[in-house]
mmCIF file of all heavy atoms in Angstrom:
data_model
loop_
_atom_site.group_PDB
_atom_site.id
_atom_site.type_symbol
_atom_site.label_atom_id
_atom_site.label_comp_id
_atom_site.label_asym_id
_atom_site.label_seq_id
_atom_site.Cartn_x
_atom_site.Cartn_y
_atom_site.Cartn_z
ATOM 1 N N LEU A 72 8.293 6.859 29.047
ATOM 2 C CA LEU A 72 8.548 6.911 30.493
ATOM 3 C C LEU A 72 9.848 7.643 30.818
ATOM 4 O O LEU A 72 9.980 8.204 31.909
ATOM 5 C CB LEU A 72 8.546 5.506 31.082
ATOM 6 C CG LEU A 72 7.155 4.876 31.142
ATOM 7 C CD1 LEU A 72 7.237 3.421 31.557
ATOM 8 C CD2 LEU A 72 6.252 5.670 32.077
ATOM 9 N N GLU A 73 10.770 7.649 29.899
ATOM 10 C CA GLU A 73 11.992 8.429 30.113
ATOM 11 C C GLU A 73 11.661 9.916 30.166
ATOM 12 O O GLU A 73 12.212 10.655 30.971
ATOM 13 C CB GLU A 73 12.983 8.140 28.982
ATOM 14 C CG GLU A 73 14.331 8.785 29.190
ATOM 15 C CD GLU A 73 15.313 8.365 28.114
ATOM 16 O OE1 GLU A 73 15.506 7.144 27.922
ATOM 17 O OE2 GLU A 73 15.876 9.262 27.456
ATOM 18 N N ARG A 74 10.730 10.325 29.315
ATOM 19 C CA ARG A 74 10.347 11.739 29.245
ATOM 20 C C ARG A 74 9.257 12.097 30.249
ATOM 21 O O ARG A 74 9.234 13.201 30.795
ATOM 22 C CB ARG A 74 9.882 12.046 27.828
ATOM 23 C CG ARG A 74 9.693 13.505 27.580
ATOM 24 C CD ARG A 74 9.436 13.762 26.111
ATOM 25 N NE ARG A 74 9.801 15.129 25.845
ATOM 26 C CZ ARG A 74 10.447 15.554 24.789
ATOM 27 N NH1 ARG A 74 10.831 14.711 23.887
ATOM 28 N NH2 ARG A 74 10.708 16.811 24.631
ATOM 29 N N TRP A 75 8.315 11.169 30.477
ATOM 30 C CA TRP A 75 7.182 11.393 31.396
ATOM 31 C C TRP A 75 7.114 10.234 32.397
ATOM 32 O O TRP A 75 6.245 9.358 32.295
ATOM 33 C CB TRP A 75 5.862 11.471 30.622
ATOM 34 C CG TRP A 75 5.766 12.616 29.677
ATOM 35 C CD1 TRP A 75 5.468 13.908 29.969
ATOM 36 C CD2 TRP A 75 5.952 12.575 28.253
ATOM 37 N NE1 TRP A 75 5.457 14.670 28.824
ATOM 38 C CE2 TRP A 75 5.757 13.881 27.758
ATOM 39 C CE3 TRP A 75 6.278 11.561 27.344
ATOM 40 C CZ2 TRP A 75 5.875 14.194 26.407
ATOM 41 C CZ3 TRP A 75 6.396 11.877 26.001
ATOM 42 C CH2 TRP A 75 6.200 13.181 25.547
ATOM 43 N N PRO A 76 7.987 10.195 33.395
ATOM 44 C CA PRO A 76 8.030 9.044 34.313
ATOM 45 C C PRO A 76 6.770 8.853 35.152
ATOM 46 O O PRO A 76 6.554 7.768 35.689
ATOM 47 C CB PRO A 76 9.249 9.332 35.195
ATOM 48 C CG PRO A 76 9.540 10.776 35.018
ATOM 49 C CD PRO A 76 8.992 11.186 33.692
ATOM 50 N N VAL A 77 5.930 9.858 35.261
ATOM 51 C CA VAL A 77 4.711 9.725 36.060
ATOM 52 C C VAL A 77 3.492 9.378 35.206
ATOM 53 O O VAL A 77 2.364 9.434 35.701
ATOM 54 C CB VAL A 77 4.432 11.000 36.900
ATOM 55 C CG1 VAL A 77 5.534 11.226 37.910
ATOM 56 C CG2 VAL A 77 4.258 12.211 36.003
ATOM 57 N N GLU A 78 3.702 8.986 33.968
ATOM 58 C CA GLU A 78 2.592 8.590 33.087
ATOM 59 C C GLU A 78 2.160 7.181 33.472
ATOM 60 O O GLU A 78 2.755 6.193 33.053
ATOM 61 C CB GLU A 78 3.040 8.683 31.619
ATOM 62 C CG GLU A 78 2.012 8.251 30.615
ATOM 63 C CD GLU A 78 0.669 8.943 30.777
ATOM 64 O OE1 GLU A 78 0.624 10.180 30.869
ATOM 65 O OE2 GLU A 78 -0.341 8.218 30.807
ATOM 66 N N ASP A 79 1.115 7.103 34.299
ATOM 67 C CA ASP A 79 0.707 5.812 34.854
ATOM 68 C C ASP A 79 0.226 4.828 33.796
ATOM 69 O O ASP A 79 0.464 3.625 33.895
ATOM 70 C CB ASP A 79 -0.333 5.987 35.955
ATOM 71 C CG ASP A 79 -1.621 6.649 35.489
ATOM 72 O OD1 ASP A 79 -1.573 7.503 34.599
ATOM 73 O OD2 ASP A 79 -2.678 6.309 36.047
ATOM 74 N N TYR A 80 -0.443 5.311 32.757
ATOM 75 C CA TYR A 80 -0.921 4.395 31.727
ATOM 76 C C TYR A 80 0.263 3.773 30.970
ATOM 77 O O TYR A 80 0.226 2.592 30.616
ATOM 78 C CB TYR A 80 -1.883 5.098 30.774
ATOM 79 C CG TYR A 80 -2.572 4.135 29.842
ATOM 80 C CD1 TYR A 80 -3.469 3.184 30.334
ATOM 81 C CD2 TYR A 80 -2.317 4.141 28.482
ATOM 82 C CE1 TYR A 80 -4.096 2.275 29.494
ATOM 83 C CE2 TYR A 80 -2.945 3.240 27.628
ATOM 84 C CZ TYR A 80 -3.822 2.312 28.146
ATOM 85 O OH TYR A 80 -4.434 1.412 27.312
ATOM 86 N N ALA A 81 1.299 4.536 30.738
ATOM 87 C CA ALA A 81 2.497 3.991 30.083
ATOM 88 C C ALA A 81 3.163 2.952 30.983
ATOM 89 O O ALA A 81 3.686 1.943 30.492
ATOM 90 C CB ALA A 81 3.474 5.107 29.724
ATOM 91 N N GLN A 82 3.143 3.186 32.298
ATOM 92 C CA GLN A 82 3.680 2.197 33.238
ATOM 93 C C GLN A 82 2.910 0.884 33.100
ATOM 94 O O GLN A 82 3.493 -0.195 32.998
ATOM 95 C CB GLN A 82 3.568 2.697 34.685
ATOM 96 C CG GLN A 82 4.379 3.918 35.013
ATOM 97 C CD GLN A 82 5.818 3.623 35.386
ATOM 98 O OE1 GLN A 82 6.222 2.479 35.531
ATOM 99 N NE2 GLN A 82 6.599 4.671 35.510
ATOM 100 N N LEU A 83 1.589 0.988 33.097
ATOM 101 C CA LEU A 83 0.731 -0.191 32.959
ATOM 102 C C LEU A 83 0.967 -0.891 31.623
ATOM 103 O O LEU A 83 1.135 -2.111 31.568
ATOM 104 C CB LEU A 83 -0.743 0.213 33.083
ATOM 105 C CG LEU A 83 -1.767 -0.900 32.846
ATOM 106 C CD1 LEU A 83 -1.647 -1.982 33.909
ATOM 107 C CD2 LEU A 83 -3.168 -0.318 32.800
ATOM 108 N N MET A 84 0.994 -0.120 30.557
ATOM 109 C CA MET A 84 1.187 -0.712 29.229
ATOM 110 C C MET A 84 2.545 -1.398 29.097
ATOM 111 O O MET A 84 2.643 -2.459 28.486
ATOM 112 C CB MET A 84 1.053 0.354 28.140
ATOM 113 C CG MET A 84 -0.365 0.677 27.784
ATOM 114 S SD MET A 84 -0.455 1.706 26.304
ATOM 115 C CE MET A 84 0.337 0.664 25.113
ATOM 116 N N LEU A 85 3.580 -0.780 29.655
ATOM 117 C CA LEU A 85 4.896 -1.414 29.580
ATOM 118 C C LEU A 85 4.881 -2.722 30.358
ATOM 119 O O LEU A 85 5.407 -3.739 29.889
ATOM 120 C CB LEU A 85 5.994 -0.480 30.099
ATOM 121 C CG LEU A 85 7.410 -1.040 30.033
ATOM 122 C CD1 LEU A 85 7.773 -1.526 28.628
ATOM 123 C CD2 LEU A 85 8.404 -0.011 30.529
ATOM 124 N N GLY A 86 4.254 -2.723 31.522
ATOM 125 C CA GLY A 86 4.123 -3.967 32.280
ATOM 126 C C GLY A 86 3.391 -5.041 31.495
ATOM 127 O O GLY A 86 3.836 -6.195 31.419
ATOM 128 N N ARG A 87 2.285 -4.676 30.884
ATOM 129 C CA ARG A 87 1.507 -5.646 30.084
ATOM 130 C C ARG A 87 2.297 -6.118 28.859
ATOM 131 O O ARG A 87 2.242 -7.289 28.484
ATOM 132 C CB ARG A 87 0.177 -5.030 29.630
ATOM 133 C CG ARG A 87 -0.760 -4.712 30.761
ATOM 134 C CD ARG A 87 -1.369 -5.974 31.346
ATOM 135 N NE ARG A 87 -2.289 -5.634 32.408
ATOM 136 C CZ ARG A 87 -2.191 -6.093 33.641
ATOM 137 N NH1 ARG A 87 -1.227 -6.909 33.976
ATOM 138 N NH2 ARG A 87 -3.074 -5.749 34.544
ATOM 139 N N THR A 88 3.033 -5.208 28.244
ATOM 140 C CA THR A 88 3.852 -5.576 27.082
ATOM 141 C C THR A 88 4.922 -6.571 27.484
ATOM 142 O O THR A 88 5.141 -7.585 26.796
ATOM 143 C CB THR A 88 4.489 -4.316 26.453
ATOM 144 O OG1 THR A 88 3.444 -3.431 26.035
ATOM 145 C CG2 THR A 88 5.374 -4.663 25.268
ATOM 146 N N LEU A 89 5.587 -6.309 28.595
ATOM 147 C CA LEU A 89 6.636 -7.220 29.064
ATOM 148 C C LEU A 89 6.046 -8.579 29.437
ATOM 149 O O LEU A 89 6.633 -9.621 29.130
ATOM 150 C CB LEU A 89 7.387 -6.600 30.243
ATOM 151 C CG LEU A 89 8.231 -5.376 29.883
ATOM 152 C CD1 LEU A 89 8.715 -4.673 31.150
ATOM 153 C CD2 LEU A 89 9.392 -5.754 28.981
ATOM 154 N N GLU A 90 4.866 -8.574 30.066
ATOM 155 C CA GLU A 90 4.194 -9.841 30.366
ATOM 156 C C GLU A 90 3.917 -10.620 29.083
ATOM 157 O O GLU A 90 4.166 -11.815 29.006
ATOM 158 C CB GLU A 90 2.862 -9.588 31.079
ATOM 159 C CG GLU A 90 2.968 -9.303 32.531
ATOM 160 C CD GLU A 90 1.600 -9.152 33.179
ATOM 161 O OE1 GLU A 90 0.622 -8.711 32.521
ATOM 162 O OE2 GLU A 90 1.505 -9.470 34.375
ATOM 163 N N ARG A 91 3.390 -9.923 28.109
ATOM 164 C CA ARG A 91 3.046 -10.567 26.845
ATOM 165 C C ARG A 91 4.282 -11.107 26.129
ATOM 166 O O ARG A 91 4.187 -12.056 25.366
ATOM 167 C CB ARG A 91 2.323 -9.536 25.967
ATOM 168 C CG ARG A 91 1.491 -10.126 24.880
ATOM 169 C CD ARG A 91 0.560 -9.094 24.304
ATOM 170 N NE ARG A 91 0.114 -9.522 22.990
ATOM 171 C CZ ARG A 91 -0.450 -8.746 22.101
ATOM 172 N NH1 ARG A 91 -0.659 -7.472 22.367
ATOM 173 N NH2 ARG A 91 -0.817 -9.224 20.932
#
Side-chain angles (χ1 to χ4, degrees):
L72 288 172
E73 186 175 305
R74 190 171 203 138
W75 296 280
V77 296
E78 178 53 50
D79 61 327
Y80 190 66
Q82 296 275 353
L83 175 64
M84 279 190 60
L85 181 54
R87 295 287 181 237
T88 300
L89 292 169
E90 280 184 330
R91 201 166 160 196

